[in-house]
Amino acid sequence: MELVWQHRWGADVYPLSTSTLVIVLRIARCTPVARLQVHYGDRYELDFRSCKDAKHYGSDGAFDYFTCEVEVPTRRLKYAFEAVSSSGQVLYLGEGGLATTLDAVQPYQYPYIHPSQILTVPEWAGNTVAYEVFPDRFSVGGRLLICPSVPWEADPTTESVFGGNLRGITDKLPYLRDLGVNLLYLTPIFQAPSNHKYDTQDYFNIDPSFGTLDDLRSLVQEAHRLGIRVVLDAVFNHSGFRFSPFQDVIQRGRASPYWSWFFVDGDHVDVESVNYETFATRLRHMPKLNLAEPAVQEYLLAVAKHYVLECDIDGWRFDVANEIDPHFWPRLRAELRALKPDILLIGEIWHDGMPWLTGDAFDGVMNYPLRDLVLRYAVDEAIDEVEFAHKWVRLYLQYPRSAWLTMWNLVGSHDTERVLTRANGHVPSVVLAYAMLFTLPGIPMLYYGDEIGMEGGTDPDCRRGMIWNENLWKNDLREAVQQLAGLKRTHPALSGDRLEIHDANSGVLHYVRLNGTGPHLHIAVGKRRAFGAKVRSPRFAWDVPSRTSGEGRKILIWECNSTEGCGHDSRADGFHNQ
């Protein structure tokens, strides 16, 4: 039965509010269902008082996905599914398995909707466009604060220092505003010996090569004046080798008051054999912190609150968040929300982030699974439209809808090759990837320089100095990004969490962003030259020929009050196949 019917606690039943639950059921396609209903009622009542049709959202190729929103006025719920097969057979499904009558089914239970179980995210997130900056490589403002080890145009190594600083970022804020950015994310800026600063030496000091606390205050103030929020990077999974508590442990062993802050095998730290846990595998300069230790929690909570209080930052992105003791996150979330109710909290998680999106940890995670999906379709052309739709359905229903408002959607970062390099220099493929990134639910995040066509392989090559010579920019790519950023920031349909796939055939992808107060937004990729002839005044239109075959292709975005496309019958111009 579990191979045919799948309904999991947490991922497939979650609250949108204290009176509404979302319920999801997967049914294997080998047992086609003509109709699915949810019977539900208060747990303490004998009968199911209500019944509602579940909507077929889509398929991942193996399962059909059905969703339903039910009202729970008492906050307590029991529910069961009624499925009618294509042959007319009726079956009921509950916690105890299948039954032939509703009276015989053992229902599922949602004992009580607690406010702490509701994922609430900042209201401002819906129309946000994020931009990631690697401070050493973005811009030099004022006098140099450190002597660069290489020229700005040099290919970076793991040890290169270019000299970028906070004043340089402040100077370039008008560039970001002009691009359409309204959220700036900085990789670590706290004192550390490396160029990347993920080996923190002092969490309470800005690295002197970047500036001072006053420089950070000025950056945040000017950003806010221009309508740009600022998110900092918190490295709480591990410290740096020069972190004073770790140095004390090296010197004093078990006698150190900081001994329990780390994971040491033995009575003393052996730097040569690395007898302590670290980030990744035996990276001696990044000892892992023990977040189960109350003193460590107190210290890092003080760090997180310090920059909110002192500099008015708008959020944190947490490095290696999935390896930190999960008991730390509810306290951190509660204390930061008490200081700033609309603060944004994002976890760096490269896989399924559901355990951290249940209301007591993060608002969203870095959406690397979506990155893989978009790149495989738009850039690699390794999957077709049908497979994209299948994988989207599975990914979309993997998370609560609220989380989709704040997922950080990206195609490049300081940890990946640059998107234009992935596309072998083919700009139209990158435009298509960005058009999808900006129109799928979530916060699109640009990696500095990707919008002008910078290239680079994986770390450290993806961390080249930002190109400020406009003669070297790919202005068609930047223009596309500007248009898409403007659409994301202003269109109500893109501020929500709802998406439906209208068509997915070989050569055709058409999805709709639903808008409850005005026109929906249609996004379509088609291969026929005639595609889009009947769409008037599109909000975005771009030729995106295939990178591998050269076949003509276009992406088109337009408004319509109907989810069907406002009379644009794509059958007539070959947009989709019957």
Side-chain angles (χ1 to χ4, degrees):
M1 185 196 73
E2 292 179 354
L3 295 176
V4 176
W5 309 73
Q6 291 189 1
H7 179 69
R8 302 168 300 168
W9 173 265
D12 295 335
V13 54
Y14 60 86
L16 288 179
S17 69
T18 54
S19 60
T20 306
L21 280 168
V22 174
I23 297 173
V24 180
L25 179 69
R26 302 168 183 79
I27 303 178
R29 303 203 78 190
C30 61
T31 57
V33 170
R35 184 181 185 188
L36 183 73
Q37 292 182 304
V38 179
H39 296 268
Y40 60 98
D42 187 280
R43 296 175 57 236
Y44 291 101
E45 295 180 354
L46 293 177
D47 300 324
F48 295 99
R49 293 295 183 92
S50 303
C51 180
K52 191 172 184 179
D53 284 331
K55 181 179 180 180
H56 179 251
Y57 181 77
S59 168
D60 67 1
F63 288 86
D64 284 314
Y65 287 69
F66 295 84
T67 66
C68 186
E69 288 183 27
V70 299
E71 295 302 313
V72 192
T74 65
R75 302 195 188 187
R76 305 179 299 261
L77 189 73
K78 66 176 180 180
Y79 60 99
F81 299 100
E82 177 185 343
V84 181
S85 72
S86 54
S87 64
Q89 182 184 11
V90 179
L91 287 173
Y92 298 89
L93 175 69
E95 195 172 274
L98 293 174
T100 55
T101 66
L102 184 59
D103 290 339
V105 76
Q106 179 184 338
Y108 290 100
Q109 304 278 337
Y110 197 96
Y112 194 83
I113 301 176
H114 295 278
S116 62
Q117 296 172 307
I118 303 167
L119 179 61
T120 57
V121 302
E123 290 185 7
W124 54 262
N127 292 113
T128 296
V129 177
Y131 192 92
E132 177 188 355
V133 164
F134 193 86
D136 182 59
R137 310 294 157 82
F138 192 61
S139 178
V140 179
R143 64 180 180 85
L144 278 168
L145 301 177
I146 189 172
C147 182
S149 64
V150 294
W152 191 263
E153 299 78 15
D155 292 336
T157 69
T158 56
E159 305 299 325
S160 299
V161 175
F162 282 53
N165 55 33
L166 294 179
R167 288 191 181 184
I169 299 170
T170 304
D171 291 345
K172 298 300 183 181
L173 288 175
Y175 167 83
L176 298 183
R177 182 181 63 173
D178 179 64
L179 185 63
V181 169
N182 52 10
L183 177 65
L184 172 63
Y185 155 51
L186 304 180
T187 57
I189 60 173
F190 310 124
Q191 187 174 1
S194 66
N195 55 35
H196 54 72
K197 312 302 177 190
Y198 282 98
D199 52 344
T200 313
Q201 177 178 337
D202 187 339
Y203 288 88
F204 285 98
N205 275 319
I206 305 300
D207 194 275
S209 67
F210 292 158
T212 65
L213 190 66
D214 282 338
D215 289 327
L216 178 59
R217 287 194 189 101
S218 296
L219 168 59
V220 174
Q221 289 171 2
E222 181 62 12
H224 286 175
R225 189 184 72 81
L226 296 175
I228 300 171
R229 290 180 168 86
V230 179
V231 170
L232 299 184
D233 206 330
V235 190
F236 289 177
N237 173 70
H238 54 273
S239 71
F241 187 83
R242 297 182 186 177
F243 184 46
S244 57
F246 189 65
Q247 286 296 310
D248 192 83
V249 169
I250 291 176
Q251 296 169 16
R252 302 169 63 182
R254 284 189 180 272
S256 170
Y258 303 106
W259 177 260
S260 60
W261 286 38
F262 305 94
F263 300 90
V264 184
D265 183 14
D267 294 326
H268 297 277
V269 170
D270 187 333
V271 175
E272 295 303 318
S273 66
V274 191
N275 66 332
Y276 50 92
E277 291 191 33
T278 69
F279 166 64
T281 305
R282 301 168 72 85
L283 297 181
R284 68 181 63 189
H285 57 289
M286 293 184 178
K288 183 175 176 62
L289 289 163
N290 178 15
L291 266 294
E293 169 59 42
V296 180
Q297 290 192 18
E298 292 293 339
Y299 179 86
L300 295 179
L301 283 168
V303 171
K305 291 188 285 189
H306 175 72
Y307 292 96
V308 177
L309 293 169
E310 292 294 325
C311 302
D312 196 26
I313 66 166
D314 303 286
W316 285 102
R317 177 263 194 191
F318 297 97
D319 189 57
V320 203
N322 53 342
E323 295 185 23
I324 290 175
D325 191 303
H327 292 93
F328 174 63
W329 300 123
R331 185 178 174 194
L332 177 133
R333 182 179 182 88
E335 295 195 18
L336 287 179
R337 281 286 165 86
L339 285 181
K340 194 164 193 173
D342 65 348
I343 195 168
L344 180 68
L345 305 176
I346 300 294
E348 186 209 13
I349 295 171
W350 288 55
H351 51 86
D352 182 356
M354 181 60 202
W356 295 269
L357 297 171
T358 57
D360 61 355
F362 308 131
D363 300 310
V365 299
M366 298 188 74
N367 204 349
Y368 280 98
L370 182 66
R371 172 184 182 267
D372 179 66
L373 178 55
V374 168
L375 291 180
R376 290 185 66 200
Y377 171 70
V379 172
D380 303 342
E381 299 181 20
I383 61 175
D384 64 9
E385 290 75 14
V386 175
E387 188 171 354
F388 177 89
H390 285 168
K391 292 184 180 299
W392 166 257
V393 168
R394 185 182 184 92
L395 180 60
Y396 179 64
L397 295 180
Q398 183 171 301
Y399 297 129
R401 288 216 320 263
S402 299
W404 277 104
L405 293 169
T406 42
M407 298 294 281
W408 272 15
N409 298 340
L410 67 155
V411 291
S413 76
H414 64 282
D415 288 322
T416 70
E417 64 187 334
R418 287 193 176 269
V419 61
L420 189 60
T421 298
R422 174 82 169 246
N424 292 322
H426 191 250
V427 170
S429 295
V430 179
V431 172
L432 176 56
Y434 273 131
M436 299 179 72
L437 206 68
F438 276 80
T439 56
L440 294 169
I443 296 176
M445 189 191 82
L446 299 160
Y447 180 49
Y448 80 93
D450 277 354
E451 76 280 3
I452 57 169
M454 284 183 61
E455 295 203 46
T458 55
D459 172 23
D461 194 39
C462 59
R463 303 175 182 182
R464 300 179 189 179
M466 174 68 177
I467 296 174
W468 291 111
N469 183 348
E470 296 184 25
N471 294 324
L472 301 178
W473 291 359
K474 297 190 183 301
N475 286 301
D476 51 346
L477 177 55
R478 187 173 184 273
E479 180 186 349
V481 170
Q482 278 183 307
Q483 289 186 30
L484 291 165
L487 193 61
K488 171 65 179 177
R489 286 178 18 253
T490 59
H491 202 286
L494 296 182
S495 68
D497 54 28
R498 303 299 292 268
L499 179 147
E500 290 185 357
I501 293 180
H502 183 65
D503 259 316
N505 292 259
S506 181
V508 174
L509 179 64
H510 178 182
Y511 55 92
V512 186
R513 291 299 306 276
L514 303 181
N515 180 14
T517 59
H520 307 302
L521 203 63
H522 290 253
I523 300 94
V525 185
K527 289 186 177 179
R528 289 291 189 93
R529 289 184 179 180
F531 162 59
K534 298 182 180 181
V535 175
R536 297 178 181 177
S537 302
R539 298 297 303 269
F540 181 86
W542 213 274
D543 290 321
V544 287
S546 166
R547 181 176 67 86
T548 57
S549 69
E551 183 178 5
R553 194 172 53 169
K554 176 178 256 184
I555 183 163
L556 195 70
I557 302 173
W558 72 96
E559 290 180 325
C560 177
N561 289 322
S562 166
T563 58
E564 296 302 312
C566 292
H568 174 62
D569 185 357
S570 47
R571 299 173 185 84
D573 60 18
F575 175 63
H576 70 181
N577 301 317
Q578 278 292 87

